[in-house]
């Protein structure tokens, strides 16, 4: 066997240092929810309806990549920086850039899926936001309503309240009960912008019953769905 060159040894040492730094950041900022070993079983995870991610499975909901592929580093950075609305995942925008880089390296070391090059791909291209998206009188809005009734209302309900006939008894791949998200209002779990909604509809939420619709609908119909969802009235605030 050939001995490792100084350059290779240096690279390995740098990887180990990065992983160890990421472990430190994870234990200080993430373990309370995600668990010390990243299994989503931290002490704060038990009483929340939306469970923290189990990083050992290497399955992620929020991605810019197609169904079944791993997220990009930019996807992971975005979730860390912005949090996930409607869950106990807060924004960690106060973390330094090197801390975010390190904790991502640590998370990617928790699942063997990250070692499979077939699961790495480029993000889905988001087409330019159509100029009619904010037009309340656009015929695209009516078309989006029809598409929603056909493809989404069964789970999300006809008015997007998450109360469709198929909304009960759903589970994710981690064995947790899940309910379709109510869609009214400006803040969705995937993010606040129309592009965020486009990506969720296009790529789905891996590990959940929410599949990606880009292959079946195409970008134009997805933008019409985005327009319809944005037109839904805000959901009523939950009682304290």
């Amino acid at each position: 066997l050939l001995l490792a060159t100084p350059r290779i040894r240096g690279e390995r040492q740098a990887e180990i240092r990065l992983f160890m730094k990421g472990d430190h950041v994870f234990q200080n900022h993430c373990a309370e929810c995600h668990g010390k070993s990243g299994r989503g079983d931290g002490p704060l995870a038990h009483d929340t309806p939306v469970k923290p991610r189990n990083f050992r499975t290497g399955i992620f909901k929020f991605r810019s990549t197609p169904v079944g592929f791993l997220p990009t580093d930019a996807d992971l950075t975005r979730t860390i920086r912005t949090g996930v609305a409607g869950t106990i995942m807060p924004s960690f925008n106060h973390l330094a850039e090197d801390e975010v880089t390190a904790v991502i390296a640590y998370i990617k070391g928790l699942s063997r899926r990250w070692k499979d090059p077939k699961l790495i791909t480029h993000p889905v291209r988001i087409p330019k936001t159509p100029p009619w998206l904010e037009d309340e009188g656009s015929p695209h809005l009516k078309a989006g309503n029809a598409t929603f009734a056909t493809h989404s209302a069964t789970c999300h309900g006809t008015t997007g309240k998450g109360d469709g006939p198929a909304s009960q008894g759903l589970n994710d791949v981690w064995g947790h009960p899940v309910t379709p998200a109510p869609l009214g209002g400006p803040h969705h779990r995937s993010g606040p912008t129309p592009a965020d909604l486009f990506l969720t509809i296009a790529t789905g939420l891996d590990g959940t019953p929410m599949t990606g619709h880009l292959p079946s609908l195409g970008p134009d119909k997805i933008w019409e769905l985005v327009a319809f969802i944005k037109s839904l009235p805000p959901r009523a605030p939950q009682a304290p």
Side-chain angles (χ1 to χ4, degrees), residues 144 147-148 152 201 217 221-230:
T147 301
F148 186 89
S152 308
I201 297 169
L217 294 181
K221 285 188 177 296
I222 290 179
W223 276 127
E224 290 173 343
L225 269 176
V226 170
F228 173 71
I229 292 171
K230 284 174 58 63

Side-chain angles (χ1 to χ4, degrees), residues 136 141 144-145 148 152-153 156-162 181-188 197 224-236:
E136 295 182 1
L141 185 62
N145 190 350
F148 186 89
S152 308
H156 288 282
T158 56
T159 58
K161 295 180 180 178
L183 300 176
H187 299 293
H188 300 93
L197 271 178
E224 290 173 343
L225 269 176
V226 170
F228 173 71
I229 292 171
K230 284 174 58 63
S231 75
L232 292 171
R235 50 191 179 271

Side-chain angles (χ1 to χ4, degrees), residues 39-62:
R39 299 183 186 278
D41 57 356
L44 299 183
H46 302 294
D47 297 325
T48 178
V50 182
K51 300 302 180 183
R53 184 63 47 247
N54 177 354
F55 294 118
R56 295 283 178 170
T57 62
I59 299 173
F60 294 82
K61 292 180 181 179
F62 303 110

Side-chain angles (χ1 to χ4, degrees), residues 65-84:
T65 52
V67 176
F69 286 90
L70 290 164
T72 66
D73 284 7
D75 295 333
L76 296 176
T77 298
R78 184 176 178 281
T79 300
I80 293 168
R81 290 293 193 196
T82 64
V84 180

Side-chain angles (χ1 to χ4, degrees), residues 133-155:
L133 190 66
E134 303 294 338
D135 183 1
E136 295 182 1
S138 170
H140 295 281
L141 185 62
K142 184 177 181 180
N145 190 350
T147 301
F148 186 89
T150 301
H151 294 274
S152 308
T154 301
C155 289

Side-chain angles (χ1 to χ4, degrees), residues 4 14 17 33-34 45 64 76 93 106 112 129 143 160-161 174 182 185 187 189 204 226 232:
R17 286 195 297 269
C33 294
H34 291 283
S64 62
L76 296 176
N93 205 35
Y106 178 77
R112 294 181 181 273
T129 303
K161 295 180 180 178
W174 301 278
H187 299 293
R189 290 176 186 169
V226 170
L232 292 171

